[in-house]
Each structure stands twice: as structure tokens, then as C-alpha cells.
């Protein structure tokens, strides 16, 4: 079984400041890692995913994430945020084998202030 | 390509009734998954269908059921509705059942049970 912990439920930040959204996971099997974003009244959109290889993954809208196997973490970062980045961000994992379903964290609400 | 569509977008039902939600995946996608999103429990996996067969099922009571048609469209049904079933129900599609594939989410159906 897998579990995902997003350490911050809300992150307020000023526009053009850097931001880091933290994600830790626990799993008895190898997993793929994902970050999704949800804008108000919309479904989820994939920001980036880590499958294998380089531990630094670049995604859409200037986001990147770093996989750290020893710390079982997959933190999301952006060097300079915009008002339009205000949304809910979800970290998720999916097992290599067996049940294919995504296991999500509880989400982090990023609030970008002018 | 058109995205994942879900109908209806909003639904109000009373306790004890049943409801059917519909999901049309992206053209060519054969895997459809359903998730329930609530403020208290977050995003939880309901089930996944691939080629008209249920591949995986989450930890939900038997009142929650689904099916997939030969054109990959999927429906989920909830019988004997309870207040706690009020949620946003998200459908996601992907080309096949591989864990590493991105899942494309629809906008969801918001169900309110009175």
C-alpha cells in the first residue's frame, strides 16, 4: 500500500517570489510520482511526473520537482510565481505493478498575493 | 482532440435515491478511472475500467458500481444515496492501463445529496 503526505495545507506567497510545496511518500513497492494542479471548478491537470532517470524533473508552467529516494520526497518548486498559479496542488503516486490507481496527498493550496 | 467530458456537471438528489454519472474519455483512450473528491477524505480511487472490464476497485461499499461500454464510455452508479456521498466525482482516462501513463481528468460532476 502507498501513502502520500503533503506537509502544508496552505502556502501563501507573494507574486514573483519562489515557492516549494513539499511531498513525502511511503510505499512497500516502487512507485511513479506525479504532481497535479486543480484550478477552481476544474478537474486535475498534470504538471510533471517522475518515472526514472534524472531526479530533477521539469514540467509545465515553469514548475520542477526533485525526486529524493533516500528521503522518499518529491518536492515541487517554482522560482517565481504568478497570480495565475493560485490553485490546489496534489502530489500522487502509482505503483509499478498491481493496482494502478493514483494515491493522492491531501493537497496544498497555493495562494499567490500581489 | 476533445478532452474528457462528464455529464451532468451538477446534480442534486435526496437520500435514498440513486444516481448515474457519465464519462466520455479522450478518443482512443481505453482506460477510465473514477475518483471521489471530498473536503474531508480528499481524492479517493473508486474503480478503473479497461476494455469493458473492471481492473481495480477502491475501498467503497457495493452501492458504488460502474461499467464501461465498447466505445470506452463509462458510467458510475450510486444506489441508496447517503448524505456522505456528496462530493465531486472525477473521471480520468488514459490510453491503456499502464501505471506510468498520465491520467487526463474531466471537470467532474458535483453531486449534492439532501
Amino acid at each position: 500500500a502507498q501513502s502520500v503526505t503533503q506537509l502544508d495545507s496552505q502556502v501563501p506567497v507573494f507574486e514573483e517570489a519562489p515557492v516549494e510545496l513539499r511531498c513525502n511518500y511511503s510505499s512497500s513497492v516502487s512507485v511513479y510520482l506525479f504532481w497535479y494542479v486543480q484550478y477552481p471548478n476544474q478537474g486535475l491537470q498534470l504538471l510533471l511526473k517522475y518515472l526514472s532517470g534524472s531526479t530533477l524533473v521539469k514540467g509545465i508552467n515553469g514548475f520542477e520537482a526533485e525526486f529524493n529516494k533516500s528521503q522518499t520526497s518529491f518536492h515541487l518548486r517554482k522560482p517565481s510565481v504568478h497570480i495565475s498559479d493560485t490553485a490546489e496542488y496534489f502530489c500522487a503516486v502509482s505503483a509499478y505493478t498491481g493496482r494502478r490507481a493514483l494515491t493522492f496527498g491531501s493537497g496544498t493550496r497555493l495562494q499567490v498575493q500581489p | 482532440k476533445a478532452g474528457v467530458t462528464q455529464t451532468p456537471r451538477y446534480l442534486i438528489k435526496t437520500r435514498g435515491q440513486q444516481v448515474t454519472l457519465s464519462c466520455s474519455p479522450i478518443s482512443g483512450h481505453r482506460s477510465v478511472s473514477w475518483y471521489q473528491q471530498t473536503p474531508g477524505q480528499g481524492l479517493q480511487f473508486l474503480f478503473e475500467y479497461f476494455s469493458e472490464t473492471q481492473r481495480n476497485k477502491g475501498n467503497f461499499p457495493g452501492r458504488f458500481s460502474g461499467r464501461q461500454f465498447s466505445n470506452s464510455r463509462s458510467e458510475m452508479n450510486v444506489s441508496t444515496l447517503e448524505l456522505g456521498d456528496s462530493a465531486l466525482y472525477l473521471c480520468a482516462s488514459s490510453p491503456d492501463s499502464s501505471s506510468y501513463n498520465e491520467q487526463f481528468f474531466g471537470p467532474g460532476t458535483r453531486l449534492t445529496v439532501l
Side-chain angles (χ1 to χ4, degrees):
Chain A
Q2 300 87 43
S3 67
V4 178
T5 302
Q6 291 184 242
L7 298 162
D8 305 297
S9 59
Q10 292 190 60
V11 173
V13 63
F14 288 107
E15 195 173 17
E16 297 183 8
V19 70
E20 179 180 81
L21 306 183
R22 298 179 292 168
C23 171
N24 287 88
Y25 70 94
S26 172
S27 177
S28 55
V29 299
S30 296
V31 294
Y32 301 112
L33 297 125
F34 305 81
W35 274 99
Y36 282 85
V37 60
Q38 185 176 34
Y39 299 102
N41 299 316
Q42 293 186 30
L44 280 70
Q45 179 185 9
L46 182 70
L47 280 175
L48 47 79
K49 62 182 177 182
Y50 174 77
L51 303 182
S52 64
S54 173
T55 57
L56 184 63
V57 181
K58 293 190 184 298
I60 62 170
N61 300 341
F63 284 94
E64 63 181 32
E66 184 153 21
F67 170 58
N68 187 316
K69 189 173 183 179
S70 62
Q71 297 186 9
T72 60
S73 68
F74 190 52
H75 300 333
L76 181 70
R77 302 187 185 101
K78 187 169 183 178
S80 175
V81 295
H82 303 286
I83 296 287
S84 59
D85 292 323
T86 295
E88 189 97 21
Y89 291 80
F90 293 93
C91 180
V93 300
S94 178
Y96 274 24
T97 58
R99 199 177 85 165
R100 163 206 194 290
L102 289 166
T103 299
F104 287 92
S106 55
T108 297
R109 178 127 192 94
L110 177 63
Q111 297 167 306
V112 182
Q113 303 162 357
Chain B
K1 251 184 189 179
V4 177
T5 57
Q6 293 187 246
T7 56
R9 290 292 311 277
Y10 301 90
L11 207 48
I12 300 176
K13 292 285 187 179
T14 56
R15 278 181 299 174
Q17 287 186 309
Q18 75 166 22
V19 66
T20 299
L21 313 181
S22 181
C23 170
S24 293
I26 291 172
S27 177
H29 286 193
R30 295 166 62 195
S31 171
V32 173
S33 297
W34 289 89
Y35 294 83
Q36 181 196 65
Q37 185 177 22
T38 60
Q41 299 298 316
L43 280 152
Q44 294 184 286
F45 171 73
L46 280 156
F47 28 65
E48 181 208 0
Y49 286 88
F50 178 75
S51 294
E52 301 179 67
T53 302
Q54 188 181 87
R55 283 293 187 93
N56 293 294
K57 191 177 190 312
N59 296 323
F60 279 83
R63 299 186 297 108
F64 292 81
S65 63
R67 59 177 175 168
Q68 186 180 34
F69 302 96
S70 59
N71 61 358
S72 294
R73 190 175 70 84
S74 177
E75 288 181 348
M76 69 162 279
N77 183 277
V78 188
S79 63
T80 319
L81 284 166
E82 301 177 358
L83 294 178
D85 297 333
S86 293
L88 181 67
Y89 290 89
L90 293 164
C91 164
S93 77
S94 60
D96 57 40
S97 201
S98 302
S99 302
Y100 52 79
N101 274 328
E102 173 185 356
Q103 293 192 40
F104 294 82
F105 284 81
T109 294
R110 185 164 295 282
L111 171 64
T112 302
V113 182
L114 301 176

